Amino acid sequence: MSTPLPVVERVYKGSMLALRLPVLVLLFGKGNSVCRLQGLTQAPELAQDGDMVIGGIFSFRTGQDYVVDTFQTLPEFRKCKNFNFREFKFAQVMIFAINEINKNPEILPNVTIGYKIYNRCGTMDILRAALALAGGTQKEISHDNCTETDTVQAILGHSGSRPTIAFAQVVGRFQIPVISHFATCACLSDRKRYPSFFRTIPSDYYQSRALAKLVKYFGWTWVGAVAVNNEYGFNGIAAFIQAAQEYGICIEYSEAFSSSDPPKRLFEITEVIRMSTSRVIVAFMTHREVKLLSTALYQQNITGLQWIGSDAWITDDSLADSRGHSLLVGSLGFTVRRAKITGLEEHLRQLHPAQFPKSQFFKNFWEEVFDCSLDETENTQTQSCSGFESLENVDSVFTDVSELRFSNNVYKSVYAVAKALDALVKCNKKLLPNENCIKPKNIQPWQVLQKLNSVNFTTAEGERVSFDSNGDSLASYELVNLQMTNKGTLTGETVGIFDASLPESHQFIMNSIPIVWSNGLEGVPVSVCSKQCAPGTQKVLSKGKPICCYDCIPCPTGEINSILCMKCPLEYWSNRERDACIPKHIEFLVYGEILGTLLAFFSLFGVLITAMTAIIFYCHKETPLVRANNSELSFLLLFSLTLCFLCSLTFIGRPTEWSCMLRHTAFGITFVLCISCVLGKTIVVLMAFRATLPGRNVMKWFGPAQQRISVLAFTAIQVLICILWLTINPPFPFMNLSLYNDRIILECNLGSVVGFWAVLGYIGLLALLCFVLAFLARSLPDNFNEAKFITFSMLIFCAVWIAFVPAYVSSPGKFTVAVEIFAILASSYGLLLCIFLPKCFILLFRPEKNTKKHIMGKSSNNDIQY
C-alpha cells in the first residue's frame, strides 16, 4: 500500500481573492501524478489551433442584472443580455488579421497562428477568461504531458479599462503581453503595476488634455463632469480637471456612477444636473453609463445640455438604441482616426454559422440578424432558418466598414504580436551572432514581451505602429460631432483633429465642416458661471465660489479694461464707458469762458477809465487842482495804471514760454512803477507840509528832477530783480498732472520761487513805505486831502495783496491765475478810484472848488510850488 505524498497548493494571492483559481497538484495511487484545475472554467467562444496561439477577450453582449454578491459561495458565470455587434466585429477583425498573416509568406513563413477568443461581460468573468488564457483550460494534466503549456503568447483586449486593469495586473506577473485596442485609462501606463501592458490607442492623459482644449476653444468656462465609477473614469476626469484648471475652466460638479449601481445613485446624479447652471457635461464613461444617464435625463425632460464625450462612447453604434439618444445629438468628442482595412468587408459578409459550429453566440447572432431559428427542436414562434441566409445583402452595424476606428486598433494589435513573433523566429545571425533562433513551439510569452518593446512598423495604409517605454502608442485623434442620419441612427462626423506630436499651439485644428449643436441650436452654446463683464467694468470674485464666478463692478475713474482694471497713462483718462483711454482735457484760463471774459472786460474797462481820467486831467492841466497834485507824476501814475490793467491780459490764454516770462515781469515792473509814482506824490506832500523853519524852501531838495530820479531808481531795482530771475531760472509752461485726475492744468511754473516772492516782496515793501508816509500825512488841511486818499488806496492795496497770498496758494488750477488777475485789477482799481475819482469829481462837477484859495484853505499861507 503506497503512502500518500504531501499536497502542494499553488494559489495566486492577488487583489481578487474571491476569484482565485487554485491548482492542486495531487499525487495519488501507485506513483501516478495528476494536476487538477480547481474552479469554474469555460471553453473559448471562438477558437482555432496553430503553432502559436493568441488570446482575445471581448464582450459580445453587454449589460447584466444588478446582483449583490454574498461572498459565501463561488459566484457563477453571469448571464449577459444585450447584443454588442461592435465587440463581435472586433473579434472578427482579429480572426481576419490572423488569417491574413497565415496566408502571408513574408510573415512567419511555415508557421500558423491560432486564436482563442472569449466572450465575457463583467469584470469577474473577464478575469476568469484571462486566467484561462494564461493557465489553460485542461482539467487534468498528467505527469507525461505536464511540460506542454496551454498558455497563449499574448492576450488582445479588453475594450474596457476597468476589466483590463483587473486582469493585466494579474497576467503581468507571468510576463504575458496584454495589448488593448480600447483601454485608455492613463493608469495603465504605470509599468510597475502593469509591466506587460501595451495598447494601440492613446492614453487618456492626452485625451483629457485634448478635451480641456476643446472646452476652452468654444469659450465654455463653467462645466459639469460625470465619470464612470472605476479607474478609467476617475483617472480620466482627474486629468481633465487638472488640464481644465490650467486653462481657466471651472468645474461646477463632478459625479461618478456605474451601470451596476443601484437606481437611486442615477437619480441623485440627474438631480445634480437639474439644479446646475452649467450647460456642458463632460462625460468620461462607457456607452452603458451614457445610455442610462441620457435615458434618465430624457424621462425627466432635462434638455439643453451640450455633451462632451470620451472615445469610449462617442462613436458607439448602440447609442441610438437608448430612449434618450436624441439628447446626444450634437455631442462632441475625440476618437481614434478612421482607417480602411482592405478585404475586411468581404470577410464579414462571407461569415456563416458553419464556420463556428461550437459558438452559441454566433448562432444567436445569426438568429438575431435574420429573425429565424437555427434549432428546429426549440418550441418557438420564429420560423426556421432556410440555410440560404447570407450577410452579403445585409446592411448593419456589423457589416459597415466605413467607420473603422477601434477595429483598426485590433488589426494593428494582431500585427504587432505577429511582428514580435516573426522577429523571434527569424533571428539574424549576421546582425546578432549571440542570438539563438527559437522554434515556434518553444517561444515563451516573456520573449514576445521583450520583442514588443522594440516593434516598429508601418501598416499597408501608411500608419506607423510603435510603443514607447510605457507601452503607449502615438496620440492622434479626430474630433467627431454626433449627427442624426436619415435612417435614424447616430453617426460621427469628423470636424477637427488633435495630434499630440505637433507643437502645442498647432495640436488642435478645426476643419470647415459645420457643427450640429445640441437641441438644434444655431450657434455655439453658452456655458459660463458669470457673463463677461461689460467694457469699463472689472471682475470681482464671488465669495465662496470658483474663479469663474464673479461680479462686475465699474472700474474706478481713470482706469479701463474688462478683466482687470488698468490705469491709463498719465496724460490719458478713461472715457465715459471706461473702455478706452482718451487724452486728458488740457485746461487753462481762456477768453472764451465766462471767467476769462469777465476778467478781460474789467481789465479793458480799467484801461478805458484810466484813459478818460488822463483826458480829463489833460484838459484841466492848467487848473490849480491839477497843478497842485503834481501833474507830471499824475500822468506817469495814470500811464503805469494803464500798464497794470493791460498786464492782466497776459495771464489769460494758453501759457507759452514767452507769455510766462512776460506776465510776471510785466506785472512786477508796472506795479513798482505805479507805487513809485504814488510814493513820490506822498513824499512831495509830506515835505511841503512838514517844513518847520519859516521861509526855508525844502522843496528844492525834492523837486521835479529828484522825483523823476526816485521813480526811476525804485523801478530800476525791480527791473534788476526780474533780470536776475529770468536769467537764473525763468518761468516756463508746465503741465500739472497731479492736481486733477481727469484733466491737465496747463500753467506757468514760477521757475525760481525765490524770484517770484522777491518781486512781490519788493512791491509790498514799497506799498508799505508809501502807506506809512501817507498815514503820517493824514492831518494835512481838510481842503487838501490827497494824503488821506493815498492812505486809503494803500490800505486797499495792502489788504488785497495780503489776502492774495493764502488765496493764491490754496486756489486750484486756472483759479490760481484768476486770483492773481483779480488782485492786479482790485489793487489797480483801488489806486485809480481812491486817488483820481475825488479830483475828477471836482474838475467836472465842482469847478468852484478848483481855485488856489480853496485848495490852500486856512491852515497855510505858504506858496507851494510843485
Side-chain angles (χ1 to χ4, degrees), residues 13-71:
K13 297 181 180 179
S15 59
M16 306 293 289
L17 295 178
L19 303 178
R20 65 178 98 168
L21 294 176
V23 178
L24 301 180
V25 181
L26 304 178
L27 303 180
F28 293 102
K30 301 175 182 179
N32 294 327
S33 60
V34 179
C35 300
R36 290 193 177 93
L37 182 67
Q38 302 295 311
L40 299 175
T41 182
Q42 275 188 338
E45 186 73 40
L46 307 172
Q48 175 180 293
D49 292 334
D51 298 324
M52 294 174 288
V53 179
I54 301 176
I57 306 175
F58 303 98
S59 298
F60 301 164
R61 292 180 181 270
T62 56
Q64 296 174 322
D65 292 329
Y66 179 69
V67 177
V68 177
D69 288 317
T70 61
F71 298 100

Side-chain angles (χ1 to χ4, degrees), residues 617-685:
F617 265 60
Y618 183 78
C619 294
H620 299 82
K621 62 181 179 179
E622 298 299 333
T623 61
L625 182 61
V626 175
R627 294 182 69 247
N629 281 277
N630 196 331
S631 59
E632 185 176 340
L633 285 180
S634 295
F635 282 111
L636 187 58
L637 178 58
L638 289 171
F639 173 73
S640 62
L641 284 173
T642 303
L643 295 179
C644 289
F645 283 119
L646 290 175
C647 80
S648 64
L649 296 178
T650 63
F651 288 82
I652 305 174
R654 187 182 186 91
T656 63
E657 186 175 354
W658 285 102
S659 66
C660 287
M661 291 190 293
L662 177 63
R663 64 173 58 172
H664 289 100
T665 53
F667 154 69
I669 293 172
T670 55
F671 259 80
V672 166
L673 178 61
C674 180
I675 300 301
S676 299
C677 293
V678 176
L679 182 60
K681 291 172 68 68
T682 306
I683 293 174
V684 168
V685 172

Side-chain angles (χ1 to χ4, degrees), residues 684-691 780-781 784 856 860 862 864 866:
V684 168
V685 172
L686 278 176
M687 295 187 71
F689 289 92
R690 288 292 179 178
L780 293 177
F784 191 80
M856 298 304 297
S860 177
N862 293 339
I864 306 174
Y866 300 98

Side-chain angles (χ1 to χ4, degrees), residues 333-459:
F334 290 102
T335 187
V336 296
R337 290 193 172 185
R338 189 181 312 178
K340 181 181 179 181
I341 303 177
T342 305
L344 177 62
E345 185 175 7
E346 290 77 7
H347 169 81
L348 296 176
R349 293 189 179 278
Q350 292 173 5
L351 291 175
H352 193 272
Q355 297 172 335
F356 306 99
K358 296 181 180 181
S359 174
Q360 180 62 38
F361 176 82
F362 201 100
K363 174 185 174 183
N364 297 338
F365 164 77
W366 198 261
E367 293 174 343
E368 175 72 16
V369 172
F370 295 104
D371 194 20
C372 64
S373 175
L374 290 173
D375 194 345
E376 298 180 358
T377 61
E378 287 186 1
N379 246 345
T380 176
Q381 298 179 355
T382 307
Q383 63 179 358
S384 299
C385 296
S386 64
F388 294 100
E389 292 83 8
S390 173
L391 295 173
E392 288 290 347
N393 300 320
V394 173
D395 292 330
S396 67
V397 173
F398 179 75
T399 58
D400 183 15
V401 293
S402 61
E403 290 284 336
L404 296 179
R405 299 181 187 274
F406 304 104
S407 297
N408 185 53
N409 288 346
V410 178
Y411 185 77
K412 292 188 295 184
S413 299
V414 175
Y415 265 87
V417 176
K419 291 288 185 179
L421 293 172
D422 188 58
L424 290 171
V425 172
K426 295 179 181 177
C427 57
N428 195 327
K429 286 291 184 179
K430 293 181 179 180
L431 295 178
L432 300 171
N434 297 326
E435 185 176 9
N436 296 321
C437 295
I438 306 174
K439 294 182 179 181
K441 291 188 177 182
N442 294 333
I443 293 177
Q444 299 298 317
W446 64 267
Q447 295 171 312
V448 180
L449 175 63
Q450 289 182 343
K451 288 297 180 182
L452 276 173
N453 287 312
S454 58
V455 160
N456 191 341
F457 65 95
T458 302
T459 65

Side-chain angles (χ1 to χ4, degrees), residues 4 102 128 140 146-147 227 264-265 269 273-274 320 378 433 473 524 535 582 599 601 774 802 835 850 854:
N102 288 336
R128 278 179 171 148
E140 291 186 1
C146 66
T147 57
K264 179 182 177 182
R265 178 58 185 151
I269 292 178
I273 296 174
R274 179 198 296 275
E378 287 186 1
S473 59
V524 180
I582 57 176
L599 293 174
F601 170 77
I802 290 173
I835 294 177
N850 189 9
H854 182 77

Side-chain angles (χ1 to χ4, degrees), residues 219-377:
W220 299 321
T221 58
W222 188 236
V223 301
V226 183
V228 61
N229 190 10
N230 57 31
E231 287 197 59
Y232 163 74
F234 291 146
N235 283 275
I237 212 67
F240 167 77
I241 292 175
Q242 181 180 359
Q245 290 174 345
E246 295 176 9
Y247 296 135
I249 301 166
C250 298
I251 310 300
E252 183 180 11
Y253 59 86
S254 180
E255 300 291 336
F257 79 103
S258 174
S259 58
S260 59
D261 286 346
K264 179 182 177 182
R265 178 58 185 151
L266 184 60
F267 175 77
E268 292 172 351
I269 292 178
T270 57
E271 285 302 304
V272 170
I273 296 174
R274 179 198 296 275
M275 301 301 294
S276 66
T277 58
S278 59
R279 296 291 87 194
V280 174
I281 297 180
V282 179
F284 236 96
M285 301 181 286
T286 68
H287 63 280
R288 294 182 294 276
E289 286 77 24
V290 170
K291 289 192 288 186
L292 288 172
L293 182 57
S294 62
T295 300
L297 295 174
Y298 176 78
Q299 291 172 344
Q300 298 191 37
N301 196 28
I302 302 176
T303 59
L305 300 173
Q306 175 64 47
W307 292 74
I308 305 296
S310 61
D311 56 5
W313 67 268
I314 195 65
T315 56
D316 194 281
D317 300 315
S318 65
L319 293 177
D321 300 336
S322 67
R323 291 180 58 191
H325 72 277
S326 60
L327 301 182
L328 302 176
V329 176
S331 298
L332 290 170
F334 290 102
T335 187
V336 296
R337 290 193 172 185
R338 189 181 312 178
K340 181 181 179 181
I341 303 177
T342 305
L344 177 62
E345 185 175 7
E346 290 77 7
H347 169 81
L348 296 176
R349 293 189 179 278
Q350 292 173 5
L351 291 175
H352 193 272
Q355 297 172 335
F356 306 99
K358 296 181 180 181
S359 174
Q360 180 62 38
F361 176 82
F362 201 100
K363 174 185 174 183
N364 297 338
F365 164 77
W366 198 261
E367 293 174 343
E368 175 72 16
V369 172
F370 295 104
D371 194 20
C372 64
S373 175
L374 290 173
D375 194 345
E376 298 180 358
T377 61

